[in-house]
Amino acid sequence: MMHMTFYWSRQVTLLFSSWRTDSWPSYALTLLACVLASVFYQYLEQVRYRVRRSRKPAGEPLLSQPNRAAGKWSAKKIAGGLLFGLNSGLGYLLMLAVMSFNGGVFLAIVLGLTIGFLWLRSEDEDEIAGVNSTCACA
């Protein structure tokens, strides 16, 4: 039966008909897998950010026009595209897992995203805030 509202149960079918939990240990492993997948999603976001950021020279403005003569298929552009595809696929799988409407799965994914952000990406926000706060804009 497919639920259309949140429910709390250790019995859940997640993503595939073969991924079913019917005991507390299998449910706990499923929730752990959701947390780890969410942390990995944030890790991929961090890697994508670093690849994208490594393209620009240090003094170049953030909103400058890209150099079209630099080549359409550079290694960084291909790596960025592959990372984007992998990250998007994982993000859609996480969304589908949340759509199981199991409360524990939802909380595990939110917890994993939060842990991943705080562990891997929060210093990026600090960097951006530091750059913006030291800007001598008139």
Side-chain angles (χ1 to χ4, degrees), residues 16-138:
F16 308 104
S17 59
S18 59
W19 190 351
R20 293 181 186 195
T21 64
D22 53 2
S23 65
W24 287 110
S26 64
Y27 185 62
L29 287 173
T30 295
L31 296 182
L32 179 63
C34 290
V35 169
L36 293 176
S38 301
V39 171
F40 185 62
Y41 176 84
Q42 289 292 355
Y43 170 75
L44 287 176
E45 282 285 322
Q46 172 69 10
V47 171
R48 279 186 55 225
Y49 173 75
R50 293 205 184 273
V51 167
R52 186 174 54 234
R53 190 157 181 220
S54 70
R55 291 183 187 169
K56 292 197 177 291
E60 188 175 337
L62 185 61
L63 297 176
S64 66
Q65 293 294 323
N67 184 0
R68 301 277 184 217
K72 290 186 177 183
W73 300 103
S74 68
K76 287 184 180 180
K77 187 173 266 193
I78 292 171
L82 290 174
L83 286 169
F84 176 79
L86 183 62
N87 199 27
S88 296
L90 181 58
Y92 281 120
L93 286 176
L94 290 173
M95 178 195 65
L96 288 172
V98 167
M99 289 175 61
S100 71
F101 288 103
N102 183 279
V105 170
F106 173 76
L107 291 177
I109 290 173
V110 171
L111 177 68
L113 291 172
T114 303
I115 290 169
F117 178 82
L118 291 174
W119 181 33
L120 300 166
R121 297 190 62 210
S122 62
E123 58 270 353
D124 292 339
E125 300 295 323
D126 294 340
E127 267 182 36
I128 292 169
V131 168
N132 289 340
S133 65
T134 59
C135 178
C137 302

